[in-house]
Amino acid sequence: MGIWFPDNINRGNRVDQLAGDIEHFQLQIKQDVEQAKQHDEQAIEYLNKIIKARGFKTLDELVAEAEKKLSPADRDKFRQMKNDVQHLDDNIKLALNVGSGLLGLGAICGLTSAVLGLLSGRQLVMVGFRMIAIGLLKLITGEVETGLKMLEIVKDLFSELLKGEALVGKAATAFRVLKVVGKVLAVLGVIVDVAVLIWDVVEESKQRDQLRDATKELCVSRLQVRMTQNYARATLFFSSDARATFDYANELQELVTDGDITQARANQRVNDWINRWIPKLKQSIDVITDQSTYEDLVDFDNGRTSWTNEDPKYDYIIDKLKNIKD
């Protein structure tokens, strides 16, 4: 009589659940990227009005004002990022233009060089977050070369701007594209069909091992995709706040044009607005870590009473990410 492995049903359900999580997070990433783009397009409309009202002909002229005030190191980072990414994707270029416009606005409204440096670094990180999100979407849709190029560039960016967070970019270069069709998953080169269970001692033990391997692989991938979804959400909030900033600055500029307030007063209000915003940007960046993402997923699983008996622990997942080869 063959040996039956009843937990294979739980294992199969867990594999299916993890794949469903990844698919759901990917959909959220796509939605967040699309919404962020909409905010950016609206932000550019406000920015163009400000550029004209302040006597500049182009965005580049406005940005030049910021570059004059940035330190040489911050200016070099900004220019390198701009040169490396602006031709990769229209969405990335749009995000970079919004961030550049913020720097220009801050410069003409009197932000100090130190504050401009902080704003520059944090908006570049947000562009990097957007690149990771779009890079993943490119991989999913088959644009592998473009997606990997984005992730490689952002890895280098993070190694410079986010000391200690280079692992994020490194891990991102190893996303595995999971083909999810019903209950059939291509994982580690093995096709696992959890809808068809063959109760044979050899097949049962083989299936058990396959499902265990699939669970480990999917848990690693799920952490990466969840972190990317967090990045996408952070950039969505950034784009929303940037749009609101340009909207506010434009309203003040209209008051200046109408003679209701002075330019100096309008500049000071924008200056104060951005100074209050910058610490929030740092917080939104710092809160996204591999540890916090793992704990969030544990809480997520506990809340729905998932079968997690054979899920890999945090240290295993991080070791797998650290050992990813470039």
Side-chain angles (χ1 to χ4, degrees):
M1 182 176 179
I3 301 175
W4 182 40
F5 293 84
D7 274 344
N8 275 3
I9 296 176
N10 290 328
R11 294 184 181 102
N13 289 338
R14 182 56 174 162
V15 165
D16 190 41
Q17 186 178 59
L18 290 168
D21 289 346
I22 291 172
E23 191 173 33
H24 176 65
F25 294 152
Q26 288 173 348
L27 178 60
Q28 288 185 318
I29 291 168
K30 184 175 184 293
Q31 292 173 342
D32 286 350
V33 168
E34 290 173 349
Q35 290 181 28
K37 181 181 178 182
Q38 292 173 5
H39 284 303
D40 286 345
E41 290 171 342
Q42 293 172 350
I44 291 296
E45 291 181 10
Y46 292 127
L47 176 58
N48 286 336
K49 293 179 181 179
I50 296 169
I51 289 173
K52 183 178 180 180
R54 295 301 295 264
F56 297 97
K57 294 181 180 179
T58 65
L59 173 60
D60 287 340
E61 287 186 3
L62 177 64
V63 174
E65 296 300 311
E67 291 188 352
K68 293 176 185 177
K69 298 185 69 173
L70 288 172
S71 70
D74 288 332
R75 184 166 55 247
D76 288 345
K77 288 179 182 179
F78 172 75
R79 288 177 175 174
Q80 180 181 349
M81 178 71 166
K82 183 177 180 180
N83 292 335
D84 287 346
V85 310
Q86 64 179 340
H87 300 300
L88 286 177
D89 180 86
D90 288 342
N91 195 321
I92 297 299
K93 183 176 181 179
L94 179 62
L96 189 62
N97 284 343
V98 169
S100 300
L102 283 170
L103 290 179
L105 177 64
I108 63 175
C109 288
L111 289 182
T112 66
S113 296
V115 173
L116 276 177
L118 291 175
L119 180 60
S120 177
R122 286 163 193 173
Q123 68 92 11
L124 289 181
V125 170
M126 288 298 177
V127 173
F129 282 176
R130 183 82 67 89
M131 288 175 64
I132 290 181
I134 294 177
L136 172 59
L137 295 178
K138 295 287 186 184
L139 293 182
I140 294 170
T141 56
E143 297 180 58
V144 177
E145 183 177 353
T146 302
L148 289 178
K149 186 175 182 180
M150 284 186 183
L151 295 172
E152 184 66 24
I153 289 174
V154 80
K155 180 193 70 172
D156 295 337
L157 167 71
F158 277 12
S159 68
E160 294 180 14
L161 295 184
L162 290 183
K163 303 300 183 183
E165 290 291 337
L167 171 62
V168 174
K170 186 177 180 64
T173 63
F175 275 115
R176 292 166 176 80
V177 182
L178 302 176
K179 302 295 185 181
V180 182
V181 183
K183 293 180 179 293
V184 181
L185 304 174
V187 182
L188 296 175
V190 177
I191 299 299
V192 180
D193 189 341
V194 299
V196 180
L197 302 178
I198 303 174
W199 305 118
D200 176 82
V201 61
V202 177
E203 293 301 324
E204 272 287 287
S205 61
K206 181 179 179 181
Q207 187 178 67
R208 176 198 60 189
D209 293 340
Q210 290 175 343
L211 290 171
R212 282 175 170 172
D213 288 342
T215 296
K216 292 177 181 178
E217 180 77 4
L218 287 168
C219 281
V220 173
S221 295
R222 185 176 68 153
L223 179 71
Q224 294 180 84
V225 177
R226 180 59 170 175
M227 286 188 74
T228 303
Q229 197 270 321
N230 289 337
Y231 297 152
R233 184 57 52 87
T235 66
L236 170 58
F237 291 155
F238 173 81
S239 293
S240 176
D241 289 343
R243 177 193 55 76
T245 300
F246 287 131
D247 185 12
Y248 178 62
N250 184 58
E251 288 179 357
L252 291 173
Q253 198 59 46
E254 290 177 349
L255 292 177
V256 172
T257 301
D258 293 340
D260 294 329
I261 62 174
T262 65
Q263 186 66 66
R265 181 60 175 162
N267 288 349
Q268 187 59 51
R269 288 184 179 180
V270 174
N271 189 311
D272 293 342
W273 175 290
I274 295 177
N275 270 296
R276 289 193 299 269
W277 182 31
I278 288 177
K280 297 178 183 178
L281 288 179
K282 183 179 187 302
Q283 183 180 14
S284 66
I285 293 170
D286 291 346
V287 74
I288 305 174
T289 67
D290 44 24
Q291 179 73 53
S292 66
T293 303
Y294 174 80
E295 292 172 355
D296 173 61
L297 289 171
V298 169
D299 291 340
F300 179 58
D301 285 331
N302 289 339
R304 61 183 180 180
T305 62
S306 299
W307 191 84
T308 60
N309 296 30
E310 296 178 353
D311 280 18
K313 300 301 182 183
Y314 173 77
D315 288 342
Y316 173 90
I317 294 175
I318 297 307
D319 285 343
K320 289 286 287 187
L321 296 182
K322 287 181 178 179
N323 290 324
I324 290 172
K325 303 300 182 182
D326 290 332

